[in-house]
């Protein structure tokens, strides 16, 4: 068993309303920042996962995204998987 | 003027409580996923910015992070800046 660092970025699908992004855009304009285009806000989820291989870690993380971490109707997700530095789990 | 894509990741500082992360961890366990370690949840903010150079874009995005996008007491942020592909702004 090895430990893997998983980073999941969940973002609203292009074209869907993003009220939080609109609010941030408005606030940036009010603060006097010019030249800001569209703002979109999503989530970033970091977790560690123990698995036998990177492929297995990625597959399980992908399933977690589909089942819990993202809403497939309104959101897209991107996964990044890499071995945890110097933290080999026993097994 | 060129257009730059900015990605800001805002994450709770290490050691601070992250109730949203705890809730996700609990939910993943309930769904039967073993081997999940700590879960931390942050925000990812995508925006476009018009600026004369990448250095200027980065500097302004950094200021936005400090003033609006992150809470310096409880959160850390990471910036990624790159030129927008094929979308040179006039000016």
């Amino acid at each position: 068993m090895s430990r893997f660092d998983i980073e999941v970025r969940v973002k609203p699908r292009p074209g869907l309303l993003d009220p939080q992004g609109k609010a941030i855009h408005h606030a940036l304009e009010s603060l006097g920042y010019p030249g800001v285009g569209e703002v979109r806000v999503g989530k970033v989820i970091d977790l560690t996962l123990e698995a036998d291989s990177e492929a297995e870690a990625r597959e399980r993380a992908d399933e977690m995204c589909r089942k819990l971490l993202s809403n497939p109707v309104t959101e897209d997700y991107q996964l990044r998987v890499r071995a945890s530095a110097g933290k080999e789990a026993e097994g």
Side-chain angles (χ1 to χ4, degrees), chain A residues 3-90:
Chain A
R3 188 173 297 171
F4 296 89
D5 292 326
I6 317 276
E7 187 190 73
V8 182
R9 281 177 292 173
V10 182
K11 298 184 179 182
R13 293 199 143 175
L16 285 188
L17 277 182
D18 178 13
Q20 206 181 348
K22 274 223 179 309
I24 288 178
H25 185 265
H26 185 71
L28 287 172
E29 277 188 338
S30 303
L31 285 172
Y33 290 103
V36 178
E38 198 185 28
V39 181
R40 309 282 287 174
V41 182
K43 281 178 297 186
V44 56
I45 301 155
D46 285 296
L47 54 89
T48 61
L49 193 55
E50 283 180 21
D52 287 329
S53 67
E54 187 172 320
E56 189 200 312
R58 179 177 295 276
E59 193 183 318
R60 279 168 52 204
D62 197 67
E63 197 183 308
M64 291 175 191
C65 286
R66 283 182 277 116
K67 285 205 180 165
L68 180 73
L69 303 177
S70 79
N71 177 340
V73 178
T74 59
E75 294 171 325
D76 289 324
Y77 64 87
Q78 299 167 304
L79 267 182
R80 205 174 295 167
V81 180
R82 60 173 180 212
S84 285
K87 287 183 195 165
E88 209 71 6
E90 284 176 25

